Amino acid sequence: MDPKAELRLYCPPAEVRGMTSLNREAFTQNITVPALRVPVKVLNKVVKSLKSVIIQRPGLSRVVPEREGSSDCRLVLLDPHKVTSPSKFSGAEEEALRSFSVPQELQDYELTLGYENLKSEEVLEAVLPPGQDVTSSFSRVGHIAHMNLREHQLPYRNLIGQVIMDKNPGLTCVVHKLNIIDSTYRNFKMEVLAGEENMVAKVKENGVAYEFDFSRVYWNPRLSTEHQRIVQQVKQGDTVFDVFAGVGPFAIPAARCGANVFANDLNPESFRWLQHNSKLNKVDNRVRTFNLDGRAFIQGPLRQELPALLTQKAAVHVVMNLPALAIDFLDAFRGLLEHESPTDTQLPTVHCYGFSKDDDPAQDVTQRASEAVGFSLENRSSVHFVRNVAPNKDMMCVTFSVPKEVVYSSKPTVTETADEPATKRQKCEDAQST
């Protein structure tokens, strides 16, 4: 059945159009639906047999008492778009009714539909101007719903927030991301549209618990599969360097797998919650945390630990999940071990994320990564498509073993300070897929 047809039948009253402050009572209306009188003794069997034509609305009883109050029969409410007369029953439905000795006689039943019986899409489509997109999708982060509203929806933002909270049990806060970068730390200013202003979320991802202030760090629930994909490549005894660790969605699961983890983030709030989550998951003995710029982390702790790690058989992984900028940091590997004697030991495996708007995103990120490290990664890297983040914009992960020609070479002339430039950090509006 065409959902638009259902929407026409159950359309809320016209006067709700343009409403900006939610008035739930204004959505109430009466409609007439067909009803089938069914003896109580066969009620469950009949309901099961007619499940495809019974009316389905949120919070609405499909079976109601008779108006006269008979205790022997009930009325089964039918969808008027599917059954308008007894002849509309299918052959199987007719046979079931005959077998249960239920007369195929329909009667009208006046039904009161209210706000509680409408889906969020129906409420918003009734309120917003005709022909405009209706947004009812959101990212759920614990008790928080995170929405990205469009310009035409902003006058209705508080109503939208309240509707989303009403229609989704467990949500107690709805926020909208403002298009303003709050700082250099990959977090945005947020406007609370409805509910409480408690921004400390508690979430579980792939069996791991995390807590963080959603307004001061970045978290994307759409990346749970990608987090798991990388962690599954880590074995017990391996070492993981997480350059842009956030609150720990790569670092903590890796530590739980038995890896030794060095996790870093420039944002002091992410650093604090990273430490908190390490203790929360009882892996703080396996996770060493740092509050450094990414380049300083690579050329500091990673550089210091790497020579000793290369004498062991366990693998070393470097995760660089800051899609708008991470590729630019790959130059930090140039000459990283220039004062060490080259060995044939397997060098670190880098998993570096980047955005691409190119027609061939895999080729694009490979070429940009090659330029950053100063050595061709063609035929010595793999590229994984992570997700589409916007029209013609993909998030990719290029994975490669750092070439010995890069780490054992002489360092190039430094053209940029070790500290991450604040102006470059402004690209972080694009980096919100961490």
Side-chain angles (χ1 to χ4, degrees):
M1 183 183 62
D2 180 5
K4 294 294 184 182
E6 182 188 38
L7 195 57
R8 284 196 296 271
L9 178 66
Y10 301 123
C11 182
E15 55 265 26
V16 303
R17 180 76 67 191
M19 179 187 293
T20 56
S21 179
L22 183 60
N23 177 6
R24 297 175 181 83
E25 288 70 28
F27 290 85
T28 302
Q29 68 170 189
N30 295 322
I31 65 169
T32 300
V33 300
L36 184 69
R37 190 171 184 265
V38 179
V40 172
K41 61 182 180 181
V42 294
L43 183 61
N44 290 338
K45 294 179 179 179
V46 170
V47 168
K48 185 176 181 180
S49 299
L50 300 182
K51 61 182 179 180
S52 64
V53 295
I54 291 177
I55 196 167
Q56 302 282 350
R57 300 297 299 171
L60 187 67
S61 296
R62 300 173 295 173
V63 178
V64 298
E66 285 193 283
R67 298 295 191 190
E68 294 76 17
S70 169
S71 60
D72 297 331
C73 292
R74 297 288 185 273
L75 295 179
V76 176
L77 305 184
L78 305 176
D79 189 327
H81 277 280
K82 297 178 179 178
V83 178
T84 54
S85 67
S87 65
K88 296 298 183 180
F89 286 120
S90 69
E93 291 162 351
E94 288 181 347
E95 179 59 32
L97 293 176
R98 280 195 295 270
S99 70
F100 299 135
S101 300
V102 176
Q104 296 180 39
E105 300 173 357
L106 302 182
Q107 56 181 278
D108 289 339
Y109 184 86
E110 188 173 290
L111 185 65
T112 300
L113 289 178
Y115 172 81
E116 65 276 10
N117 307 125
L118 299 175
K119 302 171 186 176
S120 57
E121 296 87 351
E122 294 175 305
V123 175
L124 298 180
E125 185 159 327
V127 170
L128 269 62
Q132 293 193 353
D133 291 337
V134 174
T135 296
S136 59
S137 61
F138 58 89
S139 295
R140 185 162 190 160
V141 182
H143 65 283
I144 303 168
H146 175 211
M147 307 191 75
N148 292 322
L149 299 180
R150 299 184 179 182
E151 190 69 29
H152 71 271
Q153 297 160 342
L154 294 180
Y156 308 92
R157 59 188 181 276
N158 296 115
L159 180 144
I160 292 172
Q162 189 62 56
V163 171
I164 295 300
M165 196 165 68
D166 287 347
K167 301 297 182 180
N168 294 275
L171 291 180
T172 59
C173 176
V174 182
V175 300
H176 164 61
K177 181 179 72 178
L178 299 175
N179 291 325
I180 302 171
I181 299 176
D182 188 33
S183 66
T184 64
Y185 300 135
R186 289 194 301 159
N187 56 321
F188 287 73
K189 287 186 177 180
M190 295 180 185
E191 178 184 9
V192 176
L193 305 182
E196 62 184 3
E197 295 195 18
N198 174 20
M199 292 293 118
V200 178
K202 298 181 180 182
V203 303
K204 269 206 166 185
E205 181 182 274
N206 301 323
V208 181
Y210 300 92
E211 297 178 357
F212 47 83
D213 185 334
F214 185 56
S215 67
R216 304 188 71 180
V217 303
Y218 192 79
W219 176 269
N220 191 333
R222 295 185 181 94
L223 289 177
S224 61
T225 301
E226 180 62 14
H227 296 151
Q228 188 174 43
R229 184 183 74 88
I230 295 297
V231 171
Q232 286 175 342
Q233 299 178 44
V234 178
K235 297 179 174 59
Q236 185 173 1
D238 286 355
T239 299
V240 175
F241 292 91
D242 194 348
V243 184
F244 311 106
V247 299
F250 287 107
I252 292 170
R256 281 165 55 101
C257 290
N260 299 305
V261 179
F262 295 76
N264 172 73
D265 202 275
L266 180 64
N267 182 351
E269 276 295 308
S270 295
F271 172 71
R272 183 169 74 87
W273 288 105
L274 173 63
Q275 292 180 314
H276 172 84
N277 290 322
S278 297
K279 293 177 181 176
L280 180 66
N281 289 280
K282 297 180 172 59
V283 293
D284 49 308
N285 62 324
R286 285 190 169 275
V287 180
R288 289 180 58 186
T289 56
F290 301 84
N291 182 206
L292 300 170
D293 161 73
R295 186 170 281 104
F297 176 70
I298 294 172
Q299 296 177 340
L302 192 158
R303 160 69 183 86
Q304 294 163 13
E305 298 291 333
L306 194 53
L309 291 173
L310 294 180
T311 65
Q312 304 172 14
K313 293 184 178 180
V316 178
H317 294 266
V318 181
V319 181
M320 302 177 68
N321 186 21
L322 182 64
L325 295 175
I327 290 177
D328 294 340
F329 283 77
L330 290 175
D331 64 356
F333 287 99
R334 297 188 189 186
L336 195 65
L337 301 179
E338 65 173 330
H339 300 302
E340 303 291 331
S341 299
T343 69
D344 293 328
T345 307
Q346 176 73 25
L347 288 167
T349 298
V350 175
H351 310 276
C352 184
Y353 292 83
F355 290 132
S356 177
K357 294 183 178 181
D358 197 85
D359 291 338
D360 187 345
Q363 175 64 29
D364 175 50
V365 295
T366 302
Q367 181 177 338
R368 287 159 49 203
S370 298
E371 292 171 355
V373 298
F375 193 85
S376 176
L377 298 176
E378 292 287 343
N379 302 319
R380 53 191 306 165
S381 63
S382 62
V383 180
H384 175 76
F385 169 79
V386 179
R387 58 185 289 260
N388 179 256
V389 298
N392 193 37
K393 182 178 181 180
D394 296 326
M395 179 178 174
M396 313 294 289
C397 178
V398 56
T399 295
F400 60 92
S401 178
V402 182
K404 62 181 180 180
E405 292 87 349
V406 173
V407 291
Y408 292 114
S409 67
S410 298
K411 287 185 180 180
T413 302
V414 177
T415 58
E416 184 173 286
T417 62
D419 289 335
E420 187 177 340
T423 54
K424 207 169 190 180
R425 261 302 212 194
Q426 297 305 300
K427 293 182 184 178
C428 284
E429 181 174 359
D430 289 334
Q432 299 309 306
S433 296
T434 303

